[in-house]
Amino acid sequence: MNNAFRFTHHVTRHLSSLARQHFVAQASAARFYSATPATPVVKSFENQSKIPRLPIPSLSETAARYKKSLLPILGQTEFSRAEKAVDEFIKPGGLGETLQGRLHEMDRTEKNSWLETIWLNKGYLEWREPSMINVNWWAQFKDSPAFNLEQAPARGVISDVQIQRAANYASSLLTFNDLVNTQALPAEYQRSIPLCMNQYKNQFGAYRTADFPRDRIVTTWPATANYITVMMRDQIFKVPVMGPNGERVSVQAIEQQLRNVVEAVNNTQEKQAAIGVLTSENRDTWAKARQTLLGLSPLNHASLAAIDNSLFVVCLDDYSSDRDIDKSHHNIFHAYNAHNRWFDKSMQFIFESNGRAGINGEHTPADAVIPGRILDEIVKNEKTAEPRRPTHVQLATIEPIKFVVNDEIEHTIKAAEINAKKMIDNVDSVLIHFNEYGSNWLKNVKCSPDAYVQMVLQLAYYRHYGTWTPTYESASTRLFLGGRTETVRSCSVDSVAFVKGFESKAADTTEKQRLLQKAIASHLEYMMAASAGKGVDRHLLGLRSMMQTPEEQKQALIFRDPSYIQSMYFRLSSSNMSPGDNFWGGFGPVVPEGYGINYAIGKENIKFSISSLKSCAETNSSEFRETILSALRDMKKTLS
């Protein structure tokens, strides 16, 4: 994959990832997810035919916004060269018009959007680096009073509260899947405008398959499998959790199935190879190993299919992580060693022996707001996880999922363990749970909470490094059919003026407030444009994807100019997953010298996760955390 597309992928993997757009941060979750006030409630996918297609911006619109985004990161000579390349590209009769015409032609043939296939391929499926850390996101659930052990059991023990919480959440997940399957999940709106609900079809039963020359993503709707995959000590089981015709059973019945897994693992003498570790590998390495497995035995075909087609994965860890939040989230991020995980499933839920829990999600099929809704529901419904009408149907017996392996596969697993450990040991990830103020205070001083936090990050980076950098925030485009995300380029002329002014001894409080409000207004304008399909990055990606010959690639100076890559080299990659009351999450940095920052703005608090790579001498997550904290406190003083 060439560098431009590689950096485009880097953009997507952060809970662009897990990310709620500005209007989500500004409204309560209840308001955002509520159905239309009209009665009866609109079915899940009833509005799909009313939702417009994603627009293709005009060349002039994109060129103007793109050039404006280059101003803060280029010198005068560099900008003049880049501006000339842009103007040449969009001139009448130029290459830009040819590529734009092809993009319109493609739009007429695509089911939902001109961007959909391009985005899946260039943003995700062609990316060959491991999905673990690089693509997958994590979220940790708040600890539950009902399922919590202050004193963790000895290593090697699966606890009752662990089993109970896993069964409870599994039951709630089945209920949510029922809502999606039957279209009983109310349609969602941004105020009165319907939002695309298609991504809800892409969670249950979804999986990514390592393949050549690119991976495949497989989704199923309705997702009617009656079983889940359960992993314990790298042993994998097909675990029925519904009757043969989809009959729901009690939480206690699911508990018993999980206890059967524990008993089987504890009593078995024949340990299966840790096949799941292969899902943490380079995608080409895993694709080759997968093909080898398929060629060894029909049993391997059936085993891989059983995992792929299950509704979701439950990982039972026979250990507990440290109570320190800086340490505990690492088990959900990567399991310390990539064992007892299947990183290709869209959702794998992780339960530790002290009751702590979280999720590791594969990013390709959906953006963060969709699984975020699911996570909110299962945490909020801990006391009401029982199905409305459970039956007493006898669940089918759990089945061990076995594989036939040879020396080549065993060697590949050992190499995968080594490679995963290197990646994991290189991750520097810490959290902030900041309780001094939140959205209530920010709204009281008339600041957009999301845009304010973006300016906190701009100020922190300037203080830490003495300069500014291209910054990514995701905006949702669910106002359009098949909408995913668009880039908000948070580093702007106005954000640079703000950070320079804030640090200037010559600027008084009034001037600092003025500069902050101007930077916030600029950010909100970009967010609104991006959410309306009028951003820069997706359109440029689409145009670039329309080039057909080496001659066209040579002619497209807009993409050959260093500014194109430079403007997408996001040393700050951020996403908003507000409010963070029930869970908080994170993702890896998208460039070696950068930070991956997820934040969640609650009414009285703000949570951050900050990740970087230890191999980079320029970054240090703990030190940057302190700079973010100082920016949070100093900016409050200016507005108080």
Side-chain angles (χ1 to χ4, degrees), residues 416-436:
E417 290 173 333
I418 294 170
N419 293 334
K421 194 68 167 61
K422 288 178 181 178
M423 285 180 58
I424 290 165
D425 288 347
N426 194 31
V427 173
D428 181 12
S429 181
V430 300
L431 306 186
I432 297 174
H433 283 192
F434 180 77
N435 298 313
E436 297 174 26

Side-chain angles (χ1 to χ4, degrees), residues 277-278 409-419:
V277 176
L278 294 174
I409 291 297
E410 289 181 350
H411 175 77
T412 305
I413 291 173
K414 290 178 181 178
E417 290 173 333
I418 294 170
N419 293 334

Side-chain angles (χ1 to χ4, degrees), residues 166 170 173 228-232 258 312-316 340 347-351:
L173 286 163
I228 63 175
T229 296
V230 178
M231 302 182 70
M232 176 183 164
L258 298 180
F312 51 88
V313 174
V314 166
C315 305
L316 298 176
N340 209 45
M347 297 187 293
Q348 56 174 334
F349 295 87
I350 299 149
F351 298 89

Side-chain angles (χ1 to χ4, degrees), residues 11 50 71 130 147 346 398 402 408 412 504 638:
V11 168
K50 305 173 187 176
L71 285 171
F147 310 111
S346 61
I398 64 169
K402 298 183 178 182
E408 178 186 343
T412 305
S504 170
T638 300

Side-chain angles (χ1 to χ4, degrees), residues 26-96:
Q26 300 307 302
S28 69
R31 177 184 175 190
F32 178 72
Y33 290 119
S34 64
T36 176
T39 54
V41 172
V42 178
K43 292 182 178 180
S44 306
F45 310 111
E46 192 173 335
N47 284 331
Q48 293 300 103
S49 63
K50 305 173 187 176
I51 296 175
R53 295 176 70 86
L54 182 70
I56 301 176
S58 69
L59 292 175
S60 59
E61 285 177 307
T62 295
R65 188 172 295 278
Y66 178 56
K67 287 190 287 187
K68 187 176 180 180
S69 77
L70 297 178
L71 285 171
I73 62 172
L74 300 180
Q76 185 174 348
T77 300
E78 294 171 314
F79 181 80
S80 296
R81 185 191 62 228
E83 183 178 41
K84 183 178 179 180
V86 173
D87 292 344
E88 174 69 18
F89 180 73
I90 68 167
K91 71 180 183 181
L95 177 61

Side-chain angles (χ1 to χ4, degrees), residues 313-582:
V313 174
V314 166
C315 305
L316 298 176
D317 290 343
D318 63 352
Y319 57 86
S320 295
S321 56
D322 196 291
R323 285 290 178 182
D324 183 340
I325 60 172
D326 274 352
K327 298 177 181 178
S328 61
H329 73 277
H330 285 266
N331 190 45
I332 302 163
F333 201 170
H334 44 60
Y336 304 111
N337 58 12
H339 276 267
N340 209 45
R341 301 288 184 269
W342 197 271
F343 291 103
D344 284 355
K345 281 298 284 185
S346 61
M347 297 187 293
Q348 56 174 334
F349 295 87
I350 299 149
F351 298 89
E352 300 180 5
S353 60
N354 63 358
R356 180 160 282 176
I359 178 177
N360 189 287
E362 209 288 326
H363 201 336
T364 307
D367 301 307
V369 69
I370 303 302
R373 166 76 190 281
I374 298 171
L375 305 188
D376 267 330
E377 291 296 322
I378 64 175
V379 175
K380 288 190 300 185
N381 294 334
E382 280 185 352
K383 296 181 180 180
T384 57
E386 290 285 357
R388 288 185 178 180
R389 288 181 288 275
T391 67
H392 297 287
V393 64
Q394 183 68 37
L395 293 177
T397 305
I398 64 169
E399 298 177 32
I401 294 177
K402 298 183 178 182
F403 290 91
V404 175
V405 301
N406 59 8
D407 290 344
E408 178 186 343
I409 291 297
E410 289 181 350
H411 175 77
T412 305
I413 291 173
K414 290 178 181 178
E417 290 173 333
I418 294 170
N419 293 334
K421 194 68 167 61
K422 288 178 181 178
M423 285 180 58
I424 290 165
D425 288 347
N426 194 31
V427 173
D428 181 12
S429 181
V430 300
L431 306 186
I432 297 174
H433 283 192
F434 180 77
N435 298 313
E436 297 174 26
Y437 62 89
S439 62
N440 282 347
W441 180 80
L442 288 167
K443 291 175 183 177
N444 188 52
V445 295
K446 309 241 179 320
C447 274
S448 154
D450 178 74
Y452 175 90
V453 171
Q454 286 292 318
M455 293 311 113
V456 167
L457 297 178
Q458 294 299 306
L459 178 60
Y461 195 90
Y462 182 66
R463 282 184 169 179
H464 209 78
Y465 293 100
T467 188
W468 43 91
T469 187
T471 304
Y472 174 94
E473 183 189 7
S474 60
S476 171
T477 53
R478 286 181 65 207
L479 290 168
F480 303 100
L481 196 63
R484 295 287 302 260
T485 63
E486 173 59 277
T487 303
V488 175
R489 296 185 167 204
S490 300
C491 180
S492 66
V493 170
D494 291 323
S495 73
V496 170
F498 159 66
V499 299
K500 292 169 70 175
F502 196 91
E503 295 297 88
S504 170
K505 294 180 180 178
D508 60 16
T509 299
T510 301
E511 176 64 3
K512 291 178 181 180
Q513 291 175 349
R514 184 189 70 80
L515 290 170
L516 174 59
Q517 291 297 347
K518 188 175 181 183
I520 285 175
S522 177
H523 187 81
L524 292 179
E525 187 279 329
Y526 203 127
M527 176 63 76
M528 291 178 65
S531 297
K534 301 289 186 177
V536 165
D537 290 78
R538 304 299 183 265
H539 188 202
L540 291 179
L541 173 63
L543 293 169
R544 181 168 184 161
S545 299
M546 294 298 102
M547 292 190 293
Q548 298 175 350
T549 66
E551 289 74 20
E552 288 181 343
Q553 293 175 353
K554 185 177 181 180
Q555 185 183 348
L557 296 180
I558 184 175
F559 301 123
R560 296 179 62 198
D561 191 88
S563 60
Y564 179 63
I565 295 299
Q566 188 177 345
S567 70
M568 294 194 299
Y569 204 82
F570 296 116
R571 286 182 171 85
L572 280 181
S573 180
S574 66
S575 64
N576 180 350
M577 199 59 179
S578 297
D581 296 333
N582 295 315

